[in-house]
Amino acid sequence: DRKQPVLVGTVSIEKSEALSASLKKAKIPHQVLNARYHEQEASIISQAGRSGAVTIATNMAGRGTDIKLGGNAEMRILHEIPADATAEQRAAAIARIEDEVARDKEVVLAAGGLYVIGTERHESRRIDNQLRGRSGRQGDPGASTFFLSTQDDLMRIFSPDALEAVLSSKSIGLKDGEALTHPWLSKALEKAQTRVEQQNYEIRKNLLKFDNVMNDQRKQIYEDRHEIMNAESITEMVTDMRHNVISDLVSAAIPEHAYAEQWNTSALKSEVLALLNLDLPIEDWAKEEGIANEEIESRIIKASDELMAAKRARAGDKFFDHIEKSFVLRLLDQNWKEHLLHLDHLRQGINLRAFAQRDPLNEYKSEAFNLFNAMTARLSTMIVQNLSLVEINTDEQTFARMEAQKREEEEKAAKLTRTDPALEGDANAADANAPIPFRKRFDENDPTTWLGNVPRNADCPCGSGKKFKYCHGKID
């Protein structure tokens, strides 16, 4: 009878729909706002402040919108006035709606403003305060009430076990359905919410520590990638990779301080053939008197450098630099994506290490570091192998022709798709769909390149002091 608008807050969509079903049985008209029907939300929340309105909402629904007491006049004007209404009809309808909203607001203000009811307390005090803050906006009156049950998830999981035992005791004389308000209950509830907030904080803090491990590796990879993309040539970097791979191969086959009989020269020969595309007489070298692993390593490096120099001479410097950069970037991206997948799988099961009395975070750091080192070593090997095995059957002139053909195809595609109606006048309206010329690169000494590259309101590059649209950019 008071016509006071009510906003009922629930903790989940399921509970909002269960409450809606109960209100339907009681034949109480209401609206449900639970972020499931996005298109209707603006209309529902805008009218939640009308007299007698009952709105059920979750904490995520209708966020960022103030509930105006008496309703939202702009939203009613938008929905209630037909589009084909005349100016007189529209003005009369606007005046009527604004008068109804003003009168309705007076009724709501007299009833006490928006009344917020919480069906239960949320896990976070911040969410409770957000729900309370829906009422009493911008100086308007309002009130809020929260209901609590010892069977609520918050109280059942996080409150002291003695709470329900005390409340159900016959000695204090409580009956079913009887409301109880006591500072001790509020204190127990606050402690329960504090426990949840602390637990969620620790979860976020722990997750951030795990993410920082991956983030450090991500920074290193992207820093290397940007350096590769911005470099004119990465030949020096690739050469260092190849020399390091050769050094690792020799060290694995010829251990330090090992006798010549212990050298695994056959395995070294097969590895050099597979990775470097070189068939070298390594076994014969090993039989030479007084030869050491440094001499074998330098001979392999020399042969590999000669092979790559021959490929560069055959392809041309510019084209070979393009090939090196393409191979490195493609293999870097491929290995980084696989590494991220491995880290994700590691993250899913690393907490099981806690059963062995080991810190999961330290174990994750150690395992992630080893995986990253293995990935970088594998990446270097793949880059060296791919560049050593690739066969180039073109020269610099062929590469230049390929680039020119690519540019010609881009210009042709642009001519077929790009039109600019703003540059067409009434005189050539029949040619409205005619393609415009492909935009050339700007050259301040060539006026034919200015159109489309110089803003029309900028000064003309010719130095006349006029705006470009009144000078060389003037449309006849």
Side-chain angles (χ1 to χ4, degrees), residues 210 345-368 370-371:
F210 278 93
H345 291 162
L346 175 65
R347 175 72 183 88
Q348 291 177 5
I350 198 67
N351 287 323
L352 296 175
R353 303 282 180 96
F355 288 109
Q357 304 299 318
R358 295 179 180 178
D359 183 13
L361 178 60
N362 290 334
E363 291 291 308
Y364 181 74
K365 287 180 178 179
S366 176
E367 294 284 351
N370 293 335
L371 284 174

Side-chain angles (χ1 to χ4, degrees), residues 31-45:
Q31 295 284 352
V32 181
L33 195 68
N34 55 17
R36 183 169 283 183
Y37 307 103
H38 302 285
E39 298 81 3
Q40 304 173 15
E41 278 203 3
S43 176
I44 295 174
I45 199 68

Side-chain angles (χ1 to χ4, degrees), residues 77 88 101 229 245 345 353 362 393-394 422 462:
I77 290 171
E88 293 80 7
V101 169
M229 293 178 66
V245 168
H345 291 162
R353 303 282 180 96
N362 290 334
N393 298 318
T394 185
C462 70

Side-chain angles (χ1 to χ4, degrees), residues 105-124:
K105 183 176 182 179
E106 294 298 326
V107 174
V108 173
L109 289 173
L114 181 67
Y115 198 95
V116 172
I117 298 176
T119 57
E120 59 183 284
R121 297 294 284 267
H122 294 77
E123 289 185 348
S124 172

Side-chain angles (χ1 to χ4, degrees), residues 213-398:
V213 177
M214 185 186 297
N215 193 45
D216 292 339
Q217 297 182 3
R218 184 186 294 113
K219 286 179 180 178
Q220 181 62 46
I221 288 293
Y222 277 84
E223 184 179 336
D224 294 342
R225 197 177 192 280
H226 289 155
E227 185 178 344
I228 293 169
M229 293 178 66
N230 296 327
E232 290 291 332
S233 173
I234 58 172
T235 302
E236 184 177 350
M237 184 189 74
V238 173
T239 302
D240 290 341
M241 280 186 185
R242 189 170 67 253
H243 291 176
N244 291 334
V245 168
I246 294 173
S247 178
D248 291 341
L249 290 177
V250 174
S251 299
I254 307 176
E256 193 175 1
H257 306 305
Y259 293 106
E261 294 81 8
Q262 297 174 320
W263 294 359
N264 193 355
T265 53
S266 58
L268 180 59
K269 177 181 174 67
S270 60
E271 287 289 335
V272 168
L273 180 61
L275 295 180
L276 303 176
N277 197 22
L278 293 171
D279 190 6
L280 301 176
I282 297 176
E283 295 174 333
D284 295 337
W285 294 347
K287 296 176 183 177
E288 295 179 8
E289 186 68 27
I291 195 168
N293 56 343
E294 294 86 357
E295 179 66 21
I296 293 178
E297 181 180 330
S298 63
R299 290 183 184 182
I300 297 174
I301 289 176
K302 181 180 178 183
S304 178
D305 288 345
E306 290 174 353
L307 175 65
M308 301 309 294
K311 290 186 178 185
R312 175 175 288 276
R314 190 161 57 247
D317 288 339
K318 186 177 180 181
F319 187 40
F320 198 76
D321 288 341
H322 175 74
I323 290 176
E324 282 183 331
K325 189 176 290 190
S326 299
F327 269 82
V328 171
L329 288 175
R330 180 174 59 82
L331 292 172
L332 176 63
D333 293 345
Q334 175 185 334
N335 280 271
W336 175 239
K337 287 188 287 188
E338 292 176 357
H339 178 68
L340 289 179
L341 185 62
H342 292 158
L343 286 182
D344 189 43
H345 291 162
L346 175 65
R347 175 72 183 88
Q348 291 177 5
I350 198 67
N351 287 323
L352 296 175
R353 303 282 180 96
F355 288 109
Q357 304 299 318
R358 295 179 180 178
D359 183 13
L361 178 60
N362 290 334
E363 291 291 308
Y364 181 74
K365 287 180 178 179
S366 176
E367 294 284 351
F369 180 74
N370 293 335
L371 284 174
F372 187 76
N373 287 339
M375 186 266 293
T376 53
R378 185 171 62 251
L379 175 63
S380 299
T381 303
M382 293 176 69
I383 290 172
V384 171
Q385 184 179 30
N386 278 266
L387 289 174
S388 299
L389 294 177
V390 67
E391 292 295 335
I392 303 166
N393 298 318
T394 185
D395 53 20
E396 201 161 355
Q397 293 180 348
T398 306

Side-chain angles (χ1 to χ4, degrees), residues 58-112:
T58 58
N59 62 316
M60 287 302 295
R63 295 286 294 272
T65 306
D66 281 350
I67 299 176
K68 295 184 178 181
L69 301 185
N72 190 313
E74 291 81 3
M75 190 66 69
R76 287 189 57 185
I77 290 171
L78 181 64
H79 287 285
E80 295 182 16
I81 300 179
D84 57 351
T86 63
E88 293 80 7
Q89 292 174 337
R90 184 176 182 80
I94 290 176
R96 175 181 55 81
I97 291 174
E98 290 179 346
D99 182 60
E100 289 178 0
V101 169
R103 284 189 280 107
D104 210 13
K105 183 176 182 179
E106 294 298 326
V107 174
V108 173
L109 289 173

